[in-house]
Amino acid sequence: MKSIIILIALLISVVFIRLNTEAIAEDTSAVKSIILPVIEGELKEGAGKDETAAFCNICHSTDYITMQPRLPADTWSAIVHKMIVVYGAPVNEDDSRTIINYLSSTYGAGK
Amino acid sequence: MGINDMEFSRRDFLKTAGAVGLAAAFGGFPSGLFAEERRLYKFPEKTDLILLTSRPPQLETPLHYFKELITPNNALFVRWHLADIPTSVDLSKWRLKVGGNTDRGLELSMDDLKKFERITYTAVIQCSGNGRSFFKPRIAGGQWQNGAMGNVTWSGARLKDILKQAGIRSGSVDVVFDGLDSGPLPKVPDFLKSLPVDKAIEDDIMIAYEMNGEPLTMLNGFPARLVVPGWFATYWVKALREITVVSKKYEEFWMKPAYRIPDNPCACVPPGSKPDKTVPITRMNTRSLVIGPSAGSTLKVNSAVDIMGIAFSGGYSIKDVIVSVDGGKSWREARCGTDMGRYSWIQWSHTWKPVEKGKYTIMARATNSIGESQPIESLWNPSGYMWNKIESVEVNVV
């Protein structure tokens, strides 16, 4: 029994030393890493806010919306359709109407 | 105490009302600067920069950094197109692949890259959309003010030497550059840019691995990026992974229809209209900026002040900068500082002693060595590129 415990201990230490050696062998000085901050975007209240946040956040933060100048409804519509056609945003006809309505009424320039 | 000296915590917001209040309190900064919400935020290897977007990151340099000839690495602007950007690179595994229509394929490690002759020069890096927020009518897109630019000393290998080692085959048309970034959805067009072969083999095109003597910051394209001095930064592909020589004109999304300008001498159309024909944006136009005194400053009558700023053009040295303090009625030639070469910006200054109280409009206009200058009225294009209108800075003399 005692010898088995010693054997296991030995095995563990061998594995540990191996892992350690590997860690040393992999030159960590060659790795450069950063951690990007996660910044919550804040959208104004309005009908369709949650859908807009959910779909737009797939590809980009919602500050892409909030930094824009007030845009006319047809510009918002063109932008949403560009996201679907060019970038492949998985937004169906109903959802796109909800999003366009939200953007035009919340961040719109009127007619 | 100016705005520069003030401490902002990470999530502080600068709102219009706050900015106006501060301007009143500290007597010296432009009420127009914060027309929309601008907040400062610290990203890795960066100082507090103006946050446009967080994912992918787009960060703008506050104007006061342009009082310096060289823009510090931690203050240089950041602009990525696609959300999946490289956040970790292992140089023991990273290779720059070169291939396509070449005699041989290369897989260059950083050590290999550093074996090529090292070249160094100072060059302005500027986003095509720098100044977009100033266009009228307004244009959707990254709402940059003047901080999507910087003046950096780049070091690296000549692209020409690398391409020579690979051996460009006859019939080659374009050279295509791909970075480590990618889109979060399969259909998002990967960010690839191309240069015509003749441009790619010009002496000054560089694969840069250092900025201001340090390795590139991750957000500015570690481990290596393309530097196309004189041309807009859209070509300066970051975190390079592959260079491909192609025998056909490369016209994928980020070359066409993206990053296009009207195909006419002014690269402009009547505001709000669309051009019939477009070409890829390429070389930077001539610009100057008044950095000090800042807009909205209060100056003392009968005491001299140095009006100072910067000027640059797309690869042609600045010939002169003229300054007006009366809204463009009369002009004086400014003194120019150290010439760091044709791709760098130049600092200029003009000493002015106002002898009467009142409001003054300071303007500056640069002209380069081939006669390119800046317009009084902005030239409009649908994407909001190439902003270079003569800036007006209002000051108050009391």
Side-chain angles (χ1 to χ4, degrees):
Chain A
M1 186 63 192
K2 203 177 168 188
S3 58
I4 289 173
I5 290 171
I6 291 171
L7 193 66
I8 288 169
L10 203 67
L11 272 172
I12 288 171
S13 62
V14 166
V15 169
F16 186 73
I17 289 163
R18 239 198 102 135
L19 281 175
N20 236 1
T21 328
E22 274 174 3
I24 291 162
E26 194 183 330
D27 183 7
T28 48
S29 69
V31 182
K32 177 176 174 127
S33 299
I34 59 166
I35 296 168
L36 291 172
V38 177
I39 304 170
E40 289 293 322
E42 284 165 50
L43 289 176
K44 285 184 202 164
E45 289 304 324
K49 177 191 159 188
D50 292 343
E51 291 87 341
T52 303
F55 282 112
C56 299
N57 265 318
I58 296 173
C59 284
H60 60 78
S61 47
T62 51
D63 37 26
Y64 268 78
I65 297 166
T66 51
M67 81 163 156
Q68 299 305 328
R70 295 260 167 177
L71 299 171
D74 56 351
T75 304
W76 279 124
S77 173
I79 290 171
V80 171
H81 283 107
K82 182 182 174 185
M83 298 302 155
I84 298 167
V85 175
V86 178
Y87 299 105
V91 179
N92 67 29
E93 203 46 46
D94 273 3
D95 291 327
S96 76
R97 234 175 283 127
T98 306
I99 295 169
I100 293 164
N101 282 341
Y102 169 78
L103 293 171
S104 327
S105 55
T106 318
Y107 296 97
K111 268 277 162 195
Chain B
M1 182 165 140
I3 184 75
N4 315 349
D5 310 313
M6 295 172 62
E7 288 280 325
F8 288 101
S9 65
R10 293 195 150 204
R11 310 226 39 188
D12 273 346
F13 283 64
L14 287 172
K15 292 186 176 167
T16 312
V20 171
L22 285 168
F26 302 110
F29 81 100
S31 55
L33 191 63
F34 302 105
E36 276 132 31
E37 188 180 88
R38 313 271 283 170
R39 50 182 166 155
L40 298 175
Y41 215 98
K42 205 187 277 293
F43 271 64
E45 303 177 283
K46 291 285 161 186
T47 185
D48 278 325
L49 298 178
I50 300 160
L51 178 71
L52 264 62
T53 63
S54 64
R55 178 177 168 264
Q58 300 189 85
L59 311 169
E60 176 166 346
T61 307
L63 209 58
H64 67 85
Y65 286 101
F66 302 151
K67 285 180 179 162
E68 305 300 325
L69 182 56
I70 300 294
T71 311
N73 291 351
N74 66 0
L76 186 66
F77 79 99
V78 171
R79 194 273 190 264
W80 291 86
H81 297 78
L82 309 175
D84 292 347
I85 67 169
T87 53
S88 183
V89 175
D90 182 348
L91 278 186
S92 69
K93 297 198 178 87
W94 176 82
R95 296 291 180 271
L96 176 59
K97 289 186 187 142
V98 186
N101 199 38
T102 57
D103 293 333
R104 63 196 71 82
L106 306 177
E107 291 206 4
L108 304 171
S109 68
M110 182 54 79
D111 286 345
D112 297 332
L113 206 51
K114 287 182 173 172
K115 281 176 198 142
F116 288 93
E117 186 191 344
R118 176 189 167 98
I119 58 169
T120 296
Y121 53 74
T122 300
V124 171
I125 174 169
Q126 182 184 215
C127 176
S128 311
N130 196 26
R132 179 180 289 119
S133 65
F134 302 131
F135 282 97
K136 289 196 176 73
R138 294 290 298 269
I139 296 164
Q143 297 302 307
W144 304 101
Q145 294 185 352
N146 284 317
M149 63 177 190
N151 198 37
V152 172
T153 301
W154 306 97
S155 301
R158 277 192 197 91
L159 174 61
K160 182 174 110 171
D161 294 346
I162 294 167
L163 290 173
K164 195 176 169 191
Q165 194 174 94
I168 300 178
R169 284 195 183 153
S170 66
S172 297
V173 175
D174 281 345
V175 182
V176 185
F177 302 86
D178 187 14
L180 293 168
D181 54 336
S182 62
L185 291 173
K187 209 186 159 190
V188 174
D190 198 7
F191 187 74
L192 274 69
K193 296 292 291 188
S194 69
L195 294 175
V197 165
D198 289 348
K199 180 72 187 173
I201 59 172
E202 280 182 7
D203 278 343
D204 292 341
I205 315 290
M206 188 198 294
I207 303 297
Y209 44 74
E210 279 180 20
M211 53 197 286
N212 298 328
E214 299 282 331
L216 305 186
T217 64
M218 189 68 86
L219 291 173
N220 291 120
F222 183 85
R225 76 180 299 168
L226 185 62
V227 170
V228 187
W231 281 27
F232 280 103
T234 179
Y235 292 96
W236 303 31
V237 176
K238 294 181 287 299
L240 280 169
R241 56 177 290 270
E242 192 162 18
I243 300 173
T244 311
V245 180
V246 295
S247 55
K248 220 174 85 186
K249 199 167 171 55
Y250 181 83
E251 289 191 324
E252 294 304 314
F253 182 76
W254 296 103
M255 290 301 295
K256 190 181 183 180
Y259 284 108
R260 311 281 288 193
I261 54 170
D263 183 14
N264 59 40
C266 69
C268 68
V269 289
S273 69
K274 283 204 172 94
D276 297 330
K277 208 170 156 244
T278 64
V279 289
I281 191 171
T282 54
R283 197 164 62 81
M284 292 191 285
N285 43 2
T286 301
R287 285 197 75 177
S288 65
L289 256 91
V290 178
I291 308 297
S294 54
S297 293
T298 299
L299 308 175
K300 280 218 172 79
V301 71
N302 286 322
S303 67
V305 60
D306 269 338
I307 300 171
M308 58 83 65
I310 52 171
F312 60 94
S313 83
Y316 294 86
S317 298
I318 293 298
K319 192 187 79 193
D320 60 51
V321 178
I322 53 175
V323 177
S324 173
V325 292
D326 54 13
K329 289 195 207 79
S330 64
W331 298 85
R332 293 283 168 79
E333 193 165 335
R335 297 182 301 273
C336 284
T338 318
D339 182 359
M340 299 282 287
R342 63 197 183 107
Y343 300 119
S344 169
W345 69 38
I346 199 158
Q347 294 178 300
W348 55 261
S349 65
H350 172 71
T351 308
W352 174 48
K353 192 169 167 186
V355 292
E356 271 180 63
K357 294 177 183 177
K359 283 193 191 303
Y360 291 82
T361 301
I362 301 171
M363 299 168 110
R365 182 184 193 186
T367 304
N368 73 4
S369 63
I370 55 169
E372 294 170 338
S373 190
Q374 303 178 254
I376 307 272
E377 297 297 331
S378 88
L379 304 171
W380 198 90
N381 64 84
S383 301
Y385 296 144
M386 301 178 80
W387 173 265
N388 76 332
K389 178 183 183 288
I390 296 173
E391 310 280 346
S392 293
V393 170
E394 316 276 334
V395 295
N396 221 343
V397 174
V398 296

